Amino acid sequence: MRLIHKTKAILGVAFFNTFLVAGAMAAPPDAIAGKAKAQMCFACHGENGLSAAKDIPNLAAQPPLSITYQLIQFRGEQRKGGGMEAITQALSDQDMRNIAAYFSALPPPPAQSGNADKIANGQQIAGTQYCNSCHGSQLQGQKHIARLAGQSPEYLMTQLKAIRSGSRIDMDGTMGSAARGLSDEDIESLAAYATSLP
Ligand code: HEC
Ligand code: HEC
């Protein structure tokens, strides 16, 4: 079990490094070309990066590297869901960087109100479980790590449960470890807290 985990971690890091090196040599991301390519995404993720349904993530203000990395994972079918595997097949790495430049530059989703007790509980868990040390002090995301602030709570809960069960594999195992000890109630509170942040 431990060995499998370690192998996964090494593969993940190697993959990520290769991607970063390749990225450094590519043309700079072009948000205008990205917007043109992203037309086929708007029906679900919105032209403003705010999604059309609760099970679809908002992409506005997501860190560009996080968007690009998730698209690569869908194209390689390491991550599956929402038909995203099929949608990404025809996209090149450059298309993905361009699309990421477009969505990441959009204004963040508005904060949503929720149950005050759950929000307070979620804030506390986010501190004790170090969610902010990776996802940022306001869960705004950074580098390859997703923005959680203002995200749909339903989407966050589904993803946390999928990462906890291992049905969604994460790149280097760090997020899997972070999710493993969470109860369903913790997940509900964390989602309420993240959603309440601007
Ligand atoms: C038919 C609706 C639909 C279309 C069209 C669509 N998506 Fe998605 N997308 C989804 C759903 C649903 C998910 C969540 C998948 C899951 O449950 O894991 C998702 C997930 C994502 C994620 C992961 C976000 C995260 O926070 O991890 C990214 C990035 C993404 N889509 C980008 C795109 C881009 C770029 C396009 C256009 C090229 C696109 N999507 C087109 C429905 C769609
Ligand atoms: C050691 C760094 C680290 C810690 C600590 C961490 N995360 Fe993550 N998280 C990540 C990374 C990296 C990803 C992207 C995983 C992937 O798809 O490869 C991620 C992804 C996620 C996602 C999926 C987001 C999306 O848009 O699909 C959620 C939700 C999430 N984390 C919530 C949390 C919560 C809640 C905590 C605290 C209990 C936490 N994370 C702690 C690094 C971390």
Side-chain angles (χ1 to χ4, degrees), residues 15 18-30 34 37 64-65 67-69 71-73 75-76 88-101:
F15 168 80
T18 312
F19 167 64
L20 281 184
V21 172
M25 294 184 303
D30 177 345
K37 267 280 172 198
L65 205 50
I67 295 179
T68 309
Y69 178 68
L71 290 173
I72 289 177
Q73 288 211 79
R75 188 181 57 192
T88 44
Q89 287 313 313
L91 299 176
S92 68
D93 290 0
Q94 188 64 38
D95 291 336
M96 292 179 180
R97 278 189 288 270
N98 294 347
I99 290 172

Side-chain angles (χ1 to χ4, degrees), residues 70 73 130-131 134-135 148 155 168 170-171 174-175 178:
Q70 292 304 328
Q73 288 211 79
Y130 307 106
C131 313
C134 288
H135 288 274
L148 308 178
Y155 173 76
R168 172 173 165 188
D170 67 314
M171 155 178 47
T174 52
M175 188 50 226

Side-chain angles (χ1 to χ4, degrees), residues 54 118 148 151-164 182-192 194-195:
K54 292 173 177 179
K118 275 188 195 158
L148 308 178
Q151 188 55 280
S152 146
E154 288 80 2
Y155 173 76
L156 290 177
M157 288 193 280
T158 307
Q159 296 304 317
L160 277 168
K161 287 177 183 172
I163 293 170
R164 181 179 64 182
L182 300 174
S183 67
D184 285 359
E185 202 193 347
D186 294 340
I187 288 178
E188 215 179 297
S189 296
L190 283 163
T195 304

